């Protein structure tokens, strides 16, 4: 159980490997009126902050020009090896977490009973301990590859390289409280999300 200053507030972590469909699940949960905080969205905002850009530019020369981040150049520079990825994460992750905490506090002040945080690297960064439960979205590797290639223009090899930097899906399944199988159509996924919503959020059942 995650620690909280208010015993009525509960936290759900949402995660999944690249191409699994987290963004779709986020949209579906928001349609049901839940507060969903998106770590990727906050990361994009963080990398627009002058202090962050200054640190990124110093660590990865040539990736920041005229106060603007070249995201493609940063991806090429930062994800070339684990140590460089660690350096980037050390710059951005604390700021992202601070933003997420501030947004959570705001939602709690507005009366939210549940807070959902969409965090791609939730297990990889050991944050599962901060949540009352973790919802994993998963899909077969080939399905995920096709989705990402269609939306991003990345090659199969580039996607596989990014996927390899994440915890294997079978390990995530062991750690997750609930797993959504996103291997069908949108209606199938929506039915699964609705079942989770009705069981946990609407009824108040324990997970």
């Amino acid at each position: 159980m995650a620690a909280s200053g208010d015993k009525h507030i509960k936290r759900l972590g949402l995660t999944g490997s690249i191409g699994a469909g987290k963004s779709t699940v986020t949209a579906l949960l928001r349609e049901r009126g839940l507060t969903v905080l998106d770590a990727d969205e906050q990361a994009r905002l963080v990398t627009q902050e002058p202090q962050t850009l200054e640190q990124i530019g110093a660590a990865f020369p040539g990736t920041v020009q005229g106060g603007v981040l070249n995201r493609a150049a940063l991806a090429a520079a930062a994800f070339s090896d684990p140590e460089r990825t660690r350096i980037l994460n050390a710059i951005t992750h604390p700021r992202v977490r601070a933003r997420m905490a501030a947004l959570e506090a705001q939602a709690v002040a507005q009366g939210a009973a549940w807070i959902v945080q969409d965090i791609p690297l939730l297990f990889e960064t050991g944050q599962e301990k901060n949540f009352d439960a973790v919802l994993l979205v998963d899909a077969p590797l080939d399905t995920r590859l096709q989705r990402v290639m269609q939306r991003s223009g990345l090659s199969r090899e580039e996607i596989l390289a990014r996927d390899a930097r994440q915890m294997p899906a079978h390990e995530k399944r062991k750690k997750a409280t609930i797993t959504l199988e996103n291997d069908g159509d949108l209606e199938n996924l929506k039915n699964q999300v609705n079942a989770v919503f009705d069981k946990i959020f609407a009824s108040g059942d324990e997970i």
Side-chain angles (χ1 to χ4, degrees), residues 18-153:
I18 185 170
K22 283 191 306 78
S23 296
T24 303
V25 172
T26 290
L28 292 171
L29 290 173
R30 283 174 172 164
E31 284 180 7
R32 298 300 301 265
L34 288 172
T35 297
V36 185
L37 310 181
D38 186 334
D40 274 351
E41 180 182 341
Q42 297 309 310
R44 286 190 289 272
L45 293 173
V46 159
T47 53
Q48 295 173 12
E49 297 173 351
Q51 186 178 12
T52 307
L53 288 172
E54 182 179 351
Q55 287 188 283
I56 291 174
F60 303 96
T63 60
V64 178
Q65 298 178 344
V68 177
L69 177 65
N70 184 326
R71 296 186 183 278
L74 179 61
F79 299 137
S80 57
D81 68 72
E83 177 58 22
R84 294 175 71 80
T85 303
R86 187 198 64 76
I87 292 171
L88 176 62
N89 290 344
I91 295 171
T92 60
H93 282 187
R95 292 181 169 91
V96 171
R97 289 173 187 158
R99 279 179 166 270
M100 296 284 275
L103 289 171
E104 179 180 293
Q106 180 180 352
V108 169
Q110 293 172 350
W114 272 92
I115 304 294
V116 183
Q117 291 196 20
D118 176 351
I119 304 176
L121 299 179
L122 187 149
F123 291 127
E124 290 84 347
T125 53
Q127 295 186 68
E128 64 268 25
K129 62 182 179 294
N130 299 327
F131 295 93
D132 294 278
V134 176
L135 180 62
L136 172 69
V137 189
D138 197 18
L141 178 60
D142 284 343
T143 300
R144 296 193 286 109
L145 288 170
Q146 288 298 321
R147 289 173 181 162
V148 181
M149 284 191 288
Q150 289 174 4
R151 77 187 185 207
S152 69

Side-chain angles (χ1 to χ4, degrees), residues 2-13:
S4 173
D6 186 332
K7 65 181 180 180
H8 300 297
I9 300 304
K10 292 188 176 182
R11 297 177 177 85
L12 178 71

